[in-house]
Amino acid sequence: MKPSPFDYHRPATLDEALGLLQAHEDARLLAGGQSLIPAMNFRLAAPEVLIDLGDIAALRDITVDQAGNLKIGAMASHADCQRSQTIQEGWPLIAEALAYVAHAQVRHRGTIGGSLAHADPAAEWPALCVALDATLTVTGPAGTRNIAAVDFFQGVYATSLEAHDILTAITFPAWPSGRRWGFHEVSRRQGDFALAGAAVVIDTHDGQICSHAKAVLFGVADTPVALPALTRRLERAELPPAGFGPDHEAAEESEHTFFQRCDDLAWFARTAVEPRSDLHADAAYRQDLIQAVVALALRQAAGASATKLTRSAQAPRSEGPVPADKIMVNGRLMESVGQRANAHATPESQRNAPANPSKTLSRITLADHARDNWRLTGTHIGCEHGVCGACTVLIDGESARACLMFARQAEGRAVTTIEGLTPANGELSDLQQQFVAHHALQCGFCTPGMIVSAEALLRENPSPTADEVREALSGNICRCTGYVSIIEAVLATARLRQGETT
Ligand code: FES
Ligand code: FES
């Protein structure tokens, strides 16, 4: 299946985007596109007009105001937030939760605003916003208004956004000193949507006595679920001393006090919600998961477990400015899709042109465009809805799924395909050589996507651990199941690049 034709617009300002939204009856906003484009590929969504917010730079800012509140522009990507030193140091619960959001390719393209507006019950951002009392800023025909996160989510994929509204920013209140926090979720595989998850914050008077707490579940009902009855039970509870951990001298004593209470509270949580059943998990299983994730999040808040992942703050290499009407493909400037549409509009080209060339060409995904028009057939197409990673390319140096991007979105950007990672003289790159040396490919279908994803990882993190390689490749499926060899090949390349000679 391919998306239906649509008119594509990429406004440079918020006012322009608002004008377009009001001018077109059947228009949809394109934020990161990581949920909308699969829906369009399946023709579950078929908007007449797509308004891409990707060029509105002001919507990507991450700032802290004078009162210490964190303001994240709605078009900040998950990866922007994950790399943000401000968030890592000041709002650690957000940094922790982002390690659970999908796969690297999706985190590079997906945005906080897109995730919140999509309102998937199993997504992390909605739960974080409710747990941290965030305020969502929305601009529409009647002006700008603020909506408390708890009022924003109305149901499955349903929010309080009106037809012509644009979500522009999300504000998280200042992080109080002495706050403890925990986050845990369970999904079928790394990066999948949560079957159940919990976010917990515990504020303290003196670092140890709970003054206020909040616990929010997600993935278990239509919207994030706050657990006020549970958190009331936490008030005045004494937590273990700050810095407590499995090796702390107070570990044994604390096992008999707060940790015992965590287990009781988690048992209470499982009775507080009637979870839904779906094809991924039935209600009874979800009830068990609720108990588990609440217990683990509470224990983490008390200091008993390490954080899930730490990540490099280093930004990826960007390929530099590209003219807005061109696409830089493996270092060469190529004509854009818009230019092709204009060419079709000339009288000489009319005979074989589609009825509405601009509309018809807009629907071409980057993966199809790379294969059919640039003849770069190393970009493989497996699932066409963002699951297999076979189509992975680099966009301005960041990995992305080419089936979850329209070619028009690449205008003004640099695209690197597997062909661009191969030395010009036809030899194999060091990473490719290691794939051969470690027998890291069998049928080879997944290999280009694996290598592009691995190259993106090595550029961002030159000496990854095996766990970091596994996480970075979790969005790439190998049907021949050659994962062990693939991880070996990536680690060997990293060692060689670090100067190891054998
Ligand atoms: Fe793009 Fe599977 S993720 S083809
Ligand atoms: Fe066959 Fe991975 S080598 S799919």
Side-chain angles (χ1 to χ4, degrees):
M1 294 275 285
K2 303 289 177 190
S4 303
F6 55 84
D7 277 323
Y8 175 83
H9 297 273
R10 202 156 101 191
T13 65
L14 182 60
D15 282 347
E16 209 184 317
L18 284 164
L20 285 164
L21 198 52
Q22 286 172 53
H24 297 283
E25 192 60 33
D26 185 21
R28 288 287 295 269
L29 295 171
L30 181 62
Q34 302 302 284
S35 300
L36 177 58
I37 296 177
M40 290 175 70
N41 287 352
F42 283 132
R43 299 215 179 180
L44 295 170
E48 284 286 321
V49 175
L50 214 49
I51 303 167
D52 182 355
L53 303 179
D55 271 0
I56 309 180
L59 294 186
R60 253 183 118 151
D61 290 343
I62 299 175
T63 53
V64 178
D65 67 18
Q66 288 197 331
N69 302 313
L70 171 70
K71 186 173 174 185
I72 305 179
M75 285 298 289
S77 71
H78 308 306
D80 289 338
C81 298
Q82 205 172 13
R83 294 189 189 112
S84 160
Q85 208 75 27
T86 302
I87 293 177
Q88 287 177 14
E89 290 169 4
W91 284 263
L93 173 61
I94 297 178
E96 172 81 3
L98 285 173
Y100 291 87
V101 173
H103 310 287
Q105 297 98 322
V106 171
R107 287 196 295 270
H108 292 147
R109 300 287 311 163
T111 62
I112 174 173
S115 174
L116 294 171
H118 186 54
D120 191 306
E124 292 81 2
W125 276 116
L128 287 172
C129 287
V130 174
L132 297 177
D133 297 317
T135 301
L136 286 73
T137 303
V138 168
T139 301
T144 295
R145 65 191 193 281
N146 292 321
I147 305 171
V150 72
D151 299 324
F152 186 78
F153 304 103
Q154 305 280 310
V156 179
Y157 307 136
T159 68
S160 52
L161 285 170
E162 305 282 349
H164 296 142
D165 282 343
I166 298 181
L167 173 61
T168 56
I170 301 88
T171 303
F172 293 90
W175 185 271
S177 67
R179 171 172 277 180
R180 308 283 193 96
W181 54 271
F183 187 93
H184 199 83
E185 75 173 54
V186 175
S187 56
R188 290 184 66 202
R189 61 171 189 150
Q190 166 74 39
D192 281 358
F193 280 108
L195 299 175
V200 171
V201 288
I202 303 177
D203 292 332
T204 61
H205 287 302
D206 55 358
Q208 269 187 269
I209 306 298
C210 170
S211 56
H212 168 262
K214 200 149 186 191
V216 175
L217 296 173
F218 61 102
V220 299
D222 292 353
T223 59
V225 183
L227 299 171
L230 181 148
T231 44
R232 272 198 300 277
R233 290 171 179 235
L234 268 173
E235 279 165 23
R236 290 183 296 282
E238 184 175 348
L239 279 80
F244 176 86
D247 301 328
H248 193 279
E249 58 188 15
E252 267 188 37
E253 184 188 337
S254 297
E255 282 296 337
H256 296 292
T257 54
F258 187 80
F259 292 113
Q260 182 62 49
R261 200 160 181 191
C262 288
D263 295 336
D264 292 344
L265 289 166
W267 178 260
F268 176 76
R270 72 176 283 146
T271 63
V273 187
E274 278 189 31
R276 62 200 172 111
S277 286
D278 58 31
L279 77 167
H280 301 298
D282 63 21
Y285 179 51
R286 274 208 166 84
Q287 234 155 5
D288 290 344
L289 293 181
I290 289 170
Q291 187 179 348
V293 294
V294 168
L296 287 164
L298 285 169
R299 291 175 75 85
Q300 185 182 17
S305 65
T307 55
K308 180 179 164 68
L309 280 176
T310 51
R311 299 191 145 267
S312 159
Q314 203 180 322
R317 278 203 305 240
S318 176
E319 309 280 340
V322 178
D325 64 342
K326 295 267 193 271
I327 303 177
M328 175 81 80
V329 184
N330 297 334
R332 284 182 55 207
L333 277 182
M334 305 287 265
E335 89 173 335
S336 69
V337 182
Q339 285 179 307
R340 292 190 68 228
N342 291 340
H344 277 311
T346 61
E348 332 54 279
S349 310
Q350 286 281 309
R351 206 150 50 92
N352 294 321
N356 184 338
S358 171
K359 220 168 168 169
T360 306
L361 292 173
S362 291
R363 70 183 186 141
I364 297 174
T365 65
L366 181 59
D368 282 332
H369 196 65
R371 291 177 61 82
D372 297 343
N373 295 302
W374 299 332
R375 301 292 174 202
L376 295 172
T377 51
T379 299
H380 289 174
I381 297 177
C383 64
E384 286 189 284
H385 63 283
V387 172
C388 72
C391 63
T392 303
V393 297
L394 302 182
I395 305 295
D396 292 339
E398 289 187 315
S399 62
R401 289 178 163 150
C403 73
L404 296 192
M405 255 187 97
F406 295 111
R408 298 219 56 180
Q409 291 179 272
E411 291 169 358
R413 315 251 187 267
V415 178
T416 307
T417 66
I418 183 65
E419 291 86 351
L421 297 178
T422 305
N425 60 9
E427 291 178 2
L428 299 179
S429 70
D430 56 351
L431 183 54
Q432 288 171 313
Q433 288 175 31
Q434 290 307 312
F435 265 63
V436 174
H438 288 82
H439 308 290
L441 67 159
Q442 293 171 63
C443 77
F445 188 80
C446 72
T447 310
M450 288 283 184
I451 287 178
V452 175
S453 296
E455 184 60 45
L457 167 71
L458 293 175
R459 288 181 181 185
E460 189 166 356
N461 178 0
S463 4
T465 63
D467 276 350
E468 286 169 333
V469 176
R470 279 189 202 98
E471 198 279 333
L473 297 183
S474 61
N476 293 71
I477 292 174
C478 174
R479 295 149 187 84
C480 303
T481 65
Y483 298 107
V484 172
S485 316
I486 290 168
I487 291 161
E488 286 294 321
V490 178
L491 290 171
T493 308
R495 288 195 298 270
L496 285 170
R497 288 186 187 180
Q498 295 297 304
E500 195 176 294
T501 52
T502 54

